[in-house]
Amino acid sequence: MNLHELLRAVESFDVVDRPAERVAQRIRRVLDGSAVDNLLRGSWLGHPVHPLLVTIPIGSWVSAAVLDAMPGQRDASRKLVALGLAATVPTVITGYADFSVLDVPRRRVGAVHAVSNAIGAICMAMSYRKRRAGRARGGTAWTLIGLGAVGIGGALGGHLSYAQGAGVHQWQRPYESVDLAAELEDIASRN
């Protein structure tokens, strides 16, 4: 089984259906039709906000792992782990807002994606705790384990977005063709 087949197999993981449906329904009851729903799900941006926000925790944690390999960078690594944890909160909130409107096959992938990333965030919290206690090696180990979990979650998130098309063309206005040459002539004629 190749990686693509493994990711597709999660679409059939029906053991998550009941709890995932309950979570989605509860979120929908809170957000449905509200301005907060549109804000969290990205109507103002033209696409979901969650994929944009994930870059902050992932970037922080990867950077912490890189700095762990350099002498004298323990404090910077600890701060980056903390930054990633802080950024996880809005990232999770926007992810759950998107999750609440998914159909069943996408919701299955979304649920496993969320669990994998939750495991990663717990590992990063353990990393931060070890680092605060002065146990840098333990912090590094937890960061690497957490990055493995977040990597799996990221692969599932990519599958959800790119293979399953979750959130695609949800907020876009109808496509309009623009005659760039005419637009440039119009701008030049005004000057």
Side-chain angles (χ1 to χ4, degrees):
M1 181 179 283
N2 67 32
L3 186 55
H4 180 70
E5 291 169 342
L6 187 60
L7 291 169
R8 293 231 23 201
V10 178
E11 296 173 20
S12 302
F13 196 45
D14 62 357
V15 71
V16 303
D17 287 352
R18 287 184 86 190
E21 175 66 22
R22 277 189 241 134
V23 169
Q25 286 175 349
R26 286 186 177 129
I27 294 167
R28 278 294 90 216
R29 268 187 293 222
V30 172
L31 295 179
D32 209 19
S34 71
V36 172
D37 187 32
N38 290 336
L39 176 74
L40 293 174
R41 293 183 42 237
S43 68
W44 56 276
L45 185 60
H47 61 77
V49 178
H50 178 73
L52 177 65
L53 291 181
V54 300
T55 63
I56 301 167
I58 293 170
S60 298
W61 295 334
V62 168
S63 297
V66 169
L67 290 180
D68 281 339
M70 299 178 175
Q73 298 299 319
R74 288 182 179 167
D75 190 51
S77 293
R78 180 184 50 77
K79 289 176 182 177
L80 283 166
V81 170
L83 174 63
L85 286 167
T88 297
V89 175
T91 303
V92 168
I93 291 169
T94 57
Y96 272 116
D98 291 338
F99 174 82
S100 70
V101 297
L102 296 176
D103 61 13
V104 173
R106 290 181 180 118
R107 195 180 307 133
R108 289 171 180 163
V109 174
V112 178
H113 164 76
V115 168
S116 181
N117 285 319
I119 292 167
I122 290 166
C123 290
M124 293 302 174
M126 291 299 299
S127 171
Y128 183 75
R129 186 175 176 193
K130 293 287 185 187
R131 291 167 190 275
R132 290 280 301 180
R135 294 154 73 193
R137 278 191 177 158
T140 298
W142 279 109
T143 294
L144 295 174
I145 295 165
L147 284 174
V150 168
I152 292 167
L156 289 163
H159 181 75
L160 187 59
S161 297
Y162 300 113
Q164 291 184 296
V168 174
H169 302 298
Q170 187 171 16
W171 300 114
Q172 287 78 21
R173 295 183 182 105
Y175 178 75
E176 294 179 18
S177 176
V178 175
D179 182 352
L180 184 58
E183 291 292 323
L184 291 173
E185 282 181 27
D186 184 48
I187 292 169
S189 70
R190 286 187 248 156
N191 293 326

